[in-house]
Every structure is written in structure tokens, then in C-alpha cells.
């Protein structure tokens, strides 16, 4: 699967990661990373419209990012405010479906090559200390752990699921692995 073989809706689907992390309600960015990525919300809108459907048919993650080897993708959802587990798992499921449609690949391709990343504001969305410890271990490469109901999607929809508080995400290896789209 090559990036150049995938149609995401032209240049208007390309933005910086910072731009895709914008929370208009909270009037804040969730990252300051200036690497150019796919605005997956816009790509989803283009996909739905191409099918003659409203973009309201599906939810979507905010960004689709590529790694240097171009065989792995990061699908990133930024949550600055509060959210429910039900809403975040629906968004994750819809995103996998939309991405498989855009790529014209079956779900096995998504499951084997896409890592779902949730970046949340820990000051707004509190989680248990034991969950924070498990997430920290996972983010250091000692396995993976997901909260908010996302753990059931691993191995069925996505290769791996990572969860970061926004400050942790800024320091994560993911920021370094993302390749800016030219």
C-alpha cells in the first residue's frame, strides 16, 4: 500500500498536524507539530460526498499520518473536552470503515497497518491512576493498553491502539515517526 496510490481529496485534505488538532469550542490546539498530514475529517467528507451521502453518515478521526517506511499509518483523534466511551469507539469504528473505502482495501489491510492514537486533555477528562500507569507502560513500548472502550477494537479494527495525554503526545516517538506530506 503506497501513499501516492490513495486519493484523499486533493491538496485541501492536507494540513499541519497542529491545524487538525484545533478545538474550536476550547479555542486551543492539542499539538504544535507543523508536519503536514491528511485532514481525515475532510477526507471523510470528500468520501461521503463522492458516494452521494452527507458527511454526517460517519464520524472520523482528525488526522491520518504516515511513517517513514510508509507501511504504517497513524490515525489520530484529538479530544480536548470531555467525551464518552461510546462516542470515541463509534468514531474509531467509522474511521476504519471510511479509511478502508478510501484506500479501496479490506479491513484486514487496516487491521495490519493502522495504529489508532487517542490524544486527550487529562485536565478535562480524568482517568484512574492505575489506568494512567498502564498507559505509561504501554507508551514506553512494554505492550499496549487502551481505555475508554478502545481495547476491544485492537486486533479487530486496528493493529495497535495508543492513548496519550496531550503533554505526553508532544514528547512521544510518534511525533518523530510522522513524515510530512509534500
Amino acid at each position: 500500500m503506497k501513499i501516492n496510490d490513495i486519493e484523499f481529496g486533493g491538496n485541501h485534505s492536507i494540513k499541519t498536524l497542529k491545524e487538525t488538532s484545533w478545538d474550536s469550542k476550547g479555542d486551543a490546539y492539542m499539538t504544535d507539530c507543523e508536519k503536514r498530514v491528511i485532514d481525515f475529517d475532510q477526507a471523510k467528507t470528500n468520501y461521503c460526498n463522492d458516494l452521494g451521502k452527507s458527511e454526517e453518515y460517519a464520524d472520523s478521526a482528525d488526522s491520518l499520518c504516515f511513517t517513514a517506511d510508509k507501511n504504517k499509518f497513524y490515525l489520530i483523534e484529538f479530544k480536548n473536552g470531555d467525551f464518552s466511551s461510546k462516542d470515541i469507539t463509534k468514531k474509531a469504528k467509522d474511521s476504519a470503515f471510511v479509511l478502508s473505502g478510501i484506500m479501496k482495501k479490506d479491513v484486514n489491510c487496516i487491521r495490519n497497518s493502522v495504529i489508532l492514537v487517542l490524544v486527550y486533555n487529562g485536565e478535562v477528562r480524568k482517568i484512574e491512576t492505575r489506568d494512567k500507569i498502564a498507559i505509561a507502560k504501554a507508551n514506553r513500548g512494554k505492550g499496549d493498553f487502551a481505555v475508554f472502550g478502545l481495547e476491544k477494537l485492537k486486533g479487530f479494527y486496528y493493529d495497535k491502539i495508543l492513548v496519550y495525554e496531550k503533554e505526553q503526545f508532544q514528547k512521544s516517538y510518534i511525533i518523530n515517526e510522522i513524515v510530512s506530506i509534500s
Side-chain angles (χ1 to χ4, degrees):
M1 179 166 41
K2 299 291 180 202
I3 297 166
N4 297 337
D5 297 337
I6 305 166
E7 178 56 48
F8 289 102
N11 287 338
H12 60 283
S13 291
I14 299 174
K15 293 185 179 172
T16 66
L17 190 60
K18 179 179 179 176
E19 290 172 317
T20 64
S21 78
W22 174 250
D23 173 28
S24 58
K25 292 178 189 166
D27 195 30
Y29 292 101
M30 295 284 290
T31 183
D32 61 4
C33 180
E34 293 290 338
K35 292 182 180 180
R36 293 168 42 93
V37 300
I38 299 296
D39 175 349
F40 198 66
D41 285 326
Q42 183 62 53
K44 180 258 320 192
T45 296
N46 297 344
Y47 175 73
C48 289
N49 293 167
D50 287 349
L51 294 174
K53 304 292 181 188
S54 165
E55 62 270 8
E56 295 173 4
Y57 268 63
D59 291 332
S60 58
D62 297 307
S63 309
L64 181 67
C65 311
F66 305 103
T67 60
D69 67 7
K70 299 181 178 131
N71 291 321
K72 287 285 182 185
F73 302 86
Y74 290 111
L75 197 54
I76 303 175
E77 173 62 17
F78 294 99
K79 286 305 215 186
N80 194 36
D82 198 15
F83 57 92
S84 72
S85 294
K86 181 180 176 183
D87 290 341
I88 201 71
T89 55
K90 180 185 182 319
K91 188 172 279 210
K93 289 176 181 180
D94 286 0
S95 295
F97 180 79
V98 168
L99 185 57
S100 69
I102 290 171
M103 292 181 159
K104 297 178 177 70
K105 301 286 183 181
D106 66 21
V107 73
N108 289 323
C109 181
I110 306 304
R111 181 184 313 117
N112 293 325
S113 59
V114 180
I115 298 168
L116 179 67
V117 180
L118 171 63
V119 181
Y120 73 99
N121 184 339
E123 294 174 9
V124 176
R125 184 64 152 90
K126 304 292 184 189
I127 64 171
E128 304 264 338
T129 302
R130 65 181 164 81
D131 288 341
K132 284 185 179 185
I133 292 168
I135 290 168
K137 284 182 180 178
N139 293 343
R140 285 193 308 268
K142 310 245 189 271
D144 56 0
F145 179 81
V147 291
F148 312 122
L150 294 172
E151 60 277 359
K152 62 187 169 196
L153 304 180
K154 181 184 180 273
F156 191 76
Y157 285 92
Y158 296 100
D159 177 40
K160 193 172 186 178
I161 297 172
L162 299 171
V163 177
Y164 291 96
E165 285 188 7
K166 69 178 185 174
E167 291 79 20
Q168 294 171 327
F169 180 70
Q170 278 300 117
K171 300 172 192 169
S172 74
Y173 68 91
I174 293 172
I175 295 289
N176 293 328
E177 282 192 359
I178 294 172
V179 173
S180 195
I181 297 172
S182 50

